[in-house]
């Protein structure tokens, strides 16, 4: 249909005045006008466009035109709403609304043709005047059901400023007011639906899905929005397939095969209802393995689809169901005589009851009853999109009311003689509630987005029903938008949420490592490295524990590292402590023996005063090793090293004094040598005190400058903390140890020189052996001390103290005690003075 503008060469000349006027134009229709399937006259006409017929792809590879009973219900619901409005005294009183409802046959070219006709009217010459861009009698239109036809219609009708209110076109692209300024809808945009579907998939923990969509504006735009939302939610898509109902059968079969062979258990189908029928028919030939279907609102509430049993358990979002009083009676108020006047209703009646109202072999006999008919046309238990049609008609009526009516003295008065132009119908300003449902539009012509969550549940009688199990409200805060309030039946009638993941969740103690050339949902679970944990499932990274903590065996929590030190409860500590106490007791017993025999030559001949002082120092040496056992503290750290250093110097000083006494004693036996008067008891005491005082001074300087202190050693072991005494000043420690070594070497040299002096009991020999053991112990101590880890460093130090102490007491005093106790005959001055 085209428009031809005709005018004569002199049409613009006023012959009476001789002045040029605006040319008179005549707009005429070219082609045959398309007749509406339903129409009624009125003061103002509302257009309607519905996909009442559709092309059905069949297995014999051709197409047939079938009636979509649900779309017929939509169109009849519009008629019901308009007739209801005409009866209301408070809405457009004294004004009658008419309608012209067309069938677009789910075809874009037909929808375009209808859009031109709604804009122009049906008269062959529909306008005479100076402007051919004005519209015909239709002031607004309801429809179309599909997004692609609605886009084409809006571009045409928008040129004439004719408002278009769609009940089912959900493409997010129609929200662009720059391109579609006169487009409104009572159904939420696909942007909201896509977000809802992505959140629904995430809500049930599915991260590995397949995606199928219509190859149309509805499917392409909706799937693009869904994929963006799914990406934000961390959902991966195994495959994406698209098709249109008129595509070749090979393409439909390819889409079906992709669903059959996929590993994803969940299939998100953003598909128009007519396209879904084609795919389900193809899948029915060879039903796929169990799949959890997630449906867009276009098909998930279509009762025609529930006959495909392999889709049982499907869930999706749907327009909230509603109740429209009187609608069911209106829809069922058809009889054979009543439908005969309408070609469309006649076709519907004959198709529904499989009989003919015209002359044929199977003539309808008049017993047909719509009330007993199970058909989408009569299915009014869940009015969802139907309510969108109902609200669309009321929205236009309220816009008319605002433009034509005024409140005068409390009475609504409307002027039907006002020449109403299409651009005067202001739908953006409407705000009303009808039948308990609020209707308003935002700046983009959108309603408030709210959906129900529906589930296909198979009942005991074998029938599958669409059941509401929850809701989604986009206006609520994040995390509160979904609410599931009923049990869901999943695929194959299961009650447990099916699992659809590329990789199983990584447990705590592991981290995800993405697999090469695969989506982010496909990964391997790698244990956390040493010292690190992950305390949540599917953790992308492991993080280290604090310095004083260490992971448990599962590596999912950090616990304080165990403290290691040489405690009194350990077997090693008990053994060392036992030797320490035993050594001290041995020294005490030795002192008691010597004291008891203090008058004997054996005791008196070897400087009993230094002997007792030496035994006293050995007792301290044995007991000071106990300070190394137990948890280090500030006082114990200072005590253990200084006590060890001073007592050992005292011990070595006594030994050194005894060695010098032996040398001086033999020198004094020479004629004319009176050296003993220079090294008598006072000098011996002074020697011991002097040597010990030097060590005391060294220890004091060490404690003042940088004393030992308790420290947590975190480097020796990763998994535990070693409590130890830090040296503070290493110079101080090695100065103490070096001074002891210097005295020991000096004593060893002197004793070695005196070892061959003639005497039956030469104490210098015993001192030589003791110093030899002492030096050997402490020379081997140095590498052992440096290389021993943790508490074994302390154990090595205790062992060195005990070994050197036992070496001294056994080598010096054991022979004496043996003679005193077991060989008393040798404990005589004669024997000792006998020089052999």
């Amino acid at each position: 249909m085209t428009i031809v503008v005709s005018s004569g060469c002199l049409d613009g000349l006023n012959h009476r005045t001789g002045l040029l006027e605006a040319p008179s134009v005549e707009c005429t229709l070219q082609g045959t006008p398309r007749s509406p399937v339903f129409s009624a006259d009125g003061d103002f006409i509302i257009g309607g466009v519905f996909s009442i017929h559709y092309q059905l792809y069949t297995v014999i590879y051709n197409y047939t035109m079938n009636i979509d009973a649900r779309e017929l219900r939509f169109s009849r619901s519009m008629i019901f709403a308009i007739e209801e409005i005409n009866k209301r005294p408070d809405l457009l009183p004294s004004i009658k609304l008419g309608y012209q409802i067309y069938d677009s046959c789910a075809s874009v070219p037909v929808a375009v043709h209808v859009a031109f006709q709604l804009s122009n009217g049906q008269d062959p010459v529909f306008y005479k005047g100076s402007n051919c861009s004005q519209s015909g009698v239709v002031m607004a239109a309801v429809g179309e059901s599909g997004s692609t036809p609605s886009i084409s219609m809006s571009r045409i009708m928008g040129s004439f400023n004719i408002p278009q209110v769609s009940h089912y076109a959900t493409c997010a692209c129609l929200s662009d007011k720059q391109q579609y300024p006169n487009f409104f809808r009572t159904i939420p945009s696909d942007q909201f639906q896509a977000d809802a579907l992505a959140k629904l998939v995430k809500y049930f923990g599915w991260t590995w899905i397949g995606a199928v969509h219509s190859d149309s504006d509805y499917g392409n735009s909706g799937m693009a929005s869904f994929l963006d939302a799914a990406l934000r939610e961390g959902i991966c898509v195994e495959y994406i397939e698209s098709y249109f109902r008129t595509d070749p059968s090979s393409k439909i079969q390819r889409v079906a095969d992709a669903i059959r062979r996929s590993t994803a258990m969940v299939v998100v189908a953003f598909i128009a209802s007519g396209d879904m029928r084609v795919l389900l028919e193809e899948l029915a030939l060879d039903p796929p393995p169990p799949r959890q279907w997630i449906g867009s609102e276009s098909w998930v509430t279509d009762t025609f689809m529930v006959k495909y049993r392999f889709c049982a358990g499907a869930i999706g979002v749907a327009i909230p169901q509603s109740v429209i009083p009187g609608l069911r009676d209106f829809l069922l108020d058809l009889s054979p005589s009543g439908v005969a006047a309408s070609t469309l209703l006649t076709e519907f009646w004959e198709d529904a009851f499989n009989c003919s109202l015209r002359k044929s072999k199977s003539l309808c006999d008049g017993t047909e009853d719509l009330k007993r008919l199970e058909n989408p046309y009569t299915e009014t238990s869940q009015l969802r999109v139907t309510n969108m049609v109902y609200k669309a008609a009321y929205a236009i009526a309220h816009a008319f009311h605002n433009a034509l009516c005024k409140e005068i003295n409390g009475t609504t008065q409307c002027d039907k003689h006002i020449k109403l132009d299409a651009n005067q119908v202001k739908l953006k300003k409407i705000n009303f509630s009808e039948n308990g449902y609020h209707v308003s539009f935002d700046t983009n012509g959108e309603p408030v987005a709210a959906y129900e969550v529906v589930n296909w549940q198979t009942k005991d009688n074998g029938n599958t029903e669409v059941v509401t199990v929850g809701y989604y409200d986009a206006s609520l805060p994040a995390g509160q938008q979904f609410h599931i309030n009923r049990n869901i039946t999943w695929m194959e009638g299961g009650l447990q949420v099916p699992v659809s993941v590329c990789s199983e969740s990584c447990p705590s103690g592991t981290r995800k490592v993405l697999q090469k050339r695969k989506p982010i949902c496909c990964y391997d679970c790698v244990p956390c490295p040493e010292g690190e944990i992950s305390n949540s499932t599917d953790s992308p990274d492991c993080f280290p524990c604090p310095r004083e903590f260490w992971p448990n065996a599962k590596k999912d929590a950090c616990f304080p590292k165990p403290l290691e030190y040489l405690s009194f409860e350990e077997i090693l500590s008990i053994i060392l402590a036992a030797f320490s106490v035993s050594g001290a007791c041995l020294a005490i017993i030795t002192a008691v023996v010597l004291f008891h025999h203090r008058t004997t030559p054996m005791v008196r001949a070897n400087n009993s005063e230094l002997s007792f002082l030496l035994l006293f120092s050995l007792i301290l040496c044995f007991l000071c090793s106990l300070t190394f056992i137990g948890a280090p503290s500030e006082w114990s750290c200072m005590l253990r090293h200084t006590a060890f250093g001073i007592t050992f110097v005292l011990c070595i000083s006594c030994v050194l004094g005894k060695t010098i006494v032996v040398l001086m004693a033999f020198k004094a036996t020479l004629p004319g040598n009176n050296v003993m008067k220079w090294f008598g008891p006072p000098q011996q005491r002074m020697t011991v005190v002097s040597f010990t005082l030097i060590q005391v001074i060294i220890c004091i300087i060490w404690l003042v400058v940088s004393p030992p202190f308790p420290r947590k050693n975190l480097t020796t072991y990763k998994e535990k903390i070693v409590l130890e005494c830090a040296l503070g000043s290493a110079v101080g420690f090695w100065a103490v140890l070096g001074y002891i070594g210097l005295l020991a070497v000096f004593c060893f040299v002197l004793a070695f020189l005196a070892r061959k002096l003639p005497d039956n009991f030469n104490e210098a020999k015993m001192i030589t052996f003791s110093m030899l053991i002492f030096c050997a112990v402490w020379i081997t101590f140095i590498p052992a001390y440096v290389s021993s880890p943790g508490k074994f460093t302390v154990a090595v130090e205790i062992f060195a103290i005990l070994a050197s102490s036992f070496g001294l007491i056994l080598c010096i005093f054991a022979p004496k005690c043996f003679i005193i106790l077991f060989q008393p005959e040798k404990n005589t001055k004669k024997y000792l003075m006998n020089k052999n």
Side-chain angles (χ1 to χ4, degrees), residues 177-382:
K177 293 296 106 176
Q178 296 294 325
Q179 297 189 60
Y180 314 103
N182 293 89
F183 180 83
F184 300 85
R185 51 186 163 198
T186 53
I187 191 170
S189 162
D190 278 341
Q191 183 63 57
F192 297 104
Q193 183 183 185
D195 289 343
L197 289 176
K199 287 183 172 64
L200 183 68
V201 172
K202 184 66 175 180
Y203 181 86
F204 291 110
W206 299 318
T207 57
W208 188 239
I209 64 170
V212 185
H213 64 95
S214 297
D215 190 8
S216 62
D217 291 291
Y218 168 76
N220 293 331
S221 175
M223 183 54 69
S225 298
F226 170 78
L227 292 177
D228 288 342
L231 181 63
R232 292 193 301 270
E233 298 290 345
I235 299 167
C236 299
V237 182
E238 181 183 8
Y239 60 89
I240 304 173
E241 297 289 343
S242 65
Y243 71 97
F244 193 67
R245 69 195 75 171
T246 57
D247 284 341
S249 59
S250 58
K251 186 173 184 179
I252 309 297
Q253 186 175 4
R254 188 191 70 198
V255 175
D257 288 340
I259 296 173
R260 293 187 182 106
R261 66 171 177 266
S262 68
T263 60
M265 299 294 292
V266 175
V267 182
V268 176
F270 216 109
I271 304 177
S273 181
D275 297 335
M276 192 65 180
R277 291 192 186 97
V278 177
L279 177 61
L280 293 182
E281 186 177 88
E282 173 64 35
L283 287 172
L285 300 177
D286 182 14
R291 293 289 182 265
Q292 181 60 52
W293 290 84
I294 310 297
S296 61
E297 44 75 30
S298 178
W299 67 269
V300 78
T301 57
D302 191 342
T303 54
F304 178 82
M305 307 290 184
V306 297
K307 67 180 182 180
Y308 296 100
R309 297 300 177 86
F310 55 83
C311 288
I315 62 172
V317 294
I319 303 304
Q321 59 181 325
S322 58
V323 176
I324 304 177
L327 176 61
R328 178 171 177 80
D329 294 336
F330 176 83
L331 294 175
L332 299 180
D333 188 18
L334 293 177
S335 62
S337 58
V339 302
S342 169
T343 304
L344 176 61
L345 291 178
T346 298
E347 182 184 355
F348 164 71
W349 190 276
E350 292 176 345
D351 182 69
F353 294 107
N354 196 24
C355 64
S356 176
L357 294 173
R358 291 157 286 194
K359 292 182 179 180
S360 68
K361 294 182 180 180
S362 55
L363 191 65
C364 297
D365 57 10
T367 60
E368 299 81 15
D369 187 0
L370 281 176
K371 295 180 181 180
R372 296 198 299 268
L373 179 67
E374 292 185 2
N375 185 280
Y377 174 80
T378 60
E379 174 54 50
T380 58
S381 61
Q382 295 190 16

Side-chain angles (χ1 to χ4, degrees), residues 358-423:
R358 291 157 286 194
K359 292 182 179 180
S360 68
K361 294 182 180 180
S362 55
L363 191 65
C364 297
D365 57 10
T367 60
E368 299 81 15
D369 187 0
L370 281 176
K371 295 180 181 180
R372 296 198 299 268
L373 179 67
E374 292 185 2
N375 185 280
Y377 174 80
T378 60
E379 174 54 50
T380 58
S381 61
Q382 295 190 16
L383 297 177
R384 300 180 187 273
V385 183
T386 303
N387 191 41
M388 301 298 104
V389 179
Y390 184 79
K391 292 199 292 187
Y394 263 92
I396 294 173
H398 276 271
F400 284 169
H401 185 90
N402 294 339
L404 299 172
C405 304
K406 295 181 180 179
E407 289 288 334
I408 300 176
N409 298 326
T411 304
T412 303
Q413 296 184 8
C414 303
D415 187 357
K416 63 183 177 181
H417 300 293
I418 295 177
K419 188 176 182 181
L420 186 64
D421 194 70
N423 57 14

